[in-house]
Amino acid sequence: MTAASILKFSQLHTAFCRNFHNNNNRFYFQNPIPSLTNSSPPSSRFIGAAIAMETDQTSSAAASSGSSISMKLLFVEMGVGYDQHGQDVTAAAMRACRDAISSNSIPAFRRGSIPGVSFDQMKLCIKLGVPKTLQQSLDIDKVKSVFPYGKILDVEVVDGGLICSSGVYVEEMGDKNDDCYIVNAAVYVGY
């Protein structure tokens, strides 16, 4: 990074911090570049943007998961799961889902932080990238058992993941060969 780019970054950061305001307990960013300033008050600008974003997220949750299910998307959790010994694609998929949800806490549903939305309205859509040759042996019900709460609307299985060598064949661990199965998971959380 050059000295000029560091200086430019510093100037942009300073402008950002100077123009970040609190308005009625809602934060908004006031654009420091006059040519991009909208003449309408910040509150109406951002309310319109929030409504547009909510509409886009509602439809994008269904589009992203490849289904026609409608939900208001809050966030997407992603994970990777491996089965190095035993060649069990379901174990790899369950690990991918655990990996996706293991680093998150979702207090908003329990505490009523989302107006008009209760804990029992939490919805999940799960998308799994599984090697094509293994998709028929995947046990979807076992994968669903990983999720402690939330209504699972859909589990979509697509071509993905990987079969590679683990580098070792260990018969005592149930290996049939040295294959390692890798599954990717995306968990869409909303209401």
Side-chain angles (χ1 to χ4, degrees):
M1 191 174 250
T2 66
S5 61
I6 291 172
L7 178 62
K8 184 67 173 172
F9 174 78
S10 175
Q11 291 169 339
L12 287 172
H13 182 263
T14 302
F16 175 82
C17 292
R18 195 178 5 197
N19 290 294
F20 198 75
H21 299 280
N22 183 338
N23 181 21
N24 297 326
N25 295 324
R26 293 179 188 209
F27 288 96
Y28 69 93
F29 177 72
Q30 183 180 17
N31 193 335
I33 305 169
S35 63
L36 298 179
T37 304
N38 189 327
S39 60
S40 61
S43 57
S44 65
R45 261 197 335 248
F46 289 97
I47 290 171
I51 291 169
M53 185 185 310
E54 185 176 296
T55 303
D56 290 346
Q57 288 174 344
T58 301
S59 58
S60 71
S64 297
S65 68
S67 68
S68 60
I69 295 169
S70 178
M71 70 183 224
K72 292 186 180 172
L73 182 65
L74 294 176
F75 53 92
V76 181
E77 303 167 308
M78 291 162 270
V80 179
Y82 312 87
D83 188 48
Q84 296 178 11
H85 300 287
Q87 293 72 45
D88 184 350
V89 72
T90 301
M94 292 172 72
R95 289 177 183 136
C97 290
R98 277 192 209 103
D99 182 46
I101 67 172
S102 66
S103 298
N104 301 291
S105 176
I106 311 173
F109 284 102
R110 285 206 186 262
R111 293 187 181 154
S113 299
I114 305 168
V117 178
S118 65
F119 180 68
D120 60 336
Q121 291 172 295
M122 179 182 188
K123 296 177 184 176
L124 305 170
C125 288
I126 298 124
K127 187 173 192 173
L128 300 171
V130 179
K132 188 173 187 143
T133 59
L134 303 174
Q135 291 176 5
Q136 294 300 319
S137 58
L138 182 66
D139 185 338
I140 298 292
D141 289 329
K142 279 189 177 179
V143 174
K144 287 180 176 182
S145 74
V146 168
F147 300 93
Y149 45 82
K151 180 180 179 184
I152 299 174
L153 301 178
D154 186 37
V155 178
E156 180 185 7
V157 180
V158 298
D159 294 348
L162 183 66
I163 301 172
C164 63
S165 172
S166 68
V168 63
Y169 165 77
V170 184
E171 189 174 348
E172 299 83 28
M173 295 184 78
D175 279 349
K176 302 170 199 102
N177 51 47
D178 71 343
D179 284 350
C180 171
Y181 295 164
I182 303 172
V183 173
N184 303 100
V187 180
Y188 300 86
V189 180
Y191 61 95

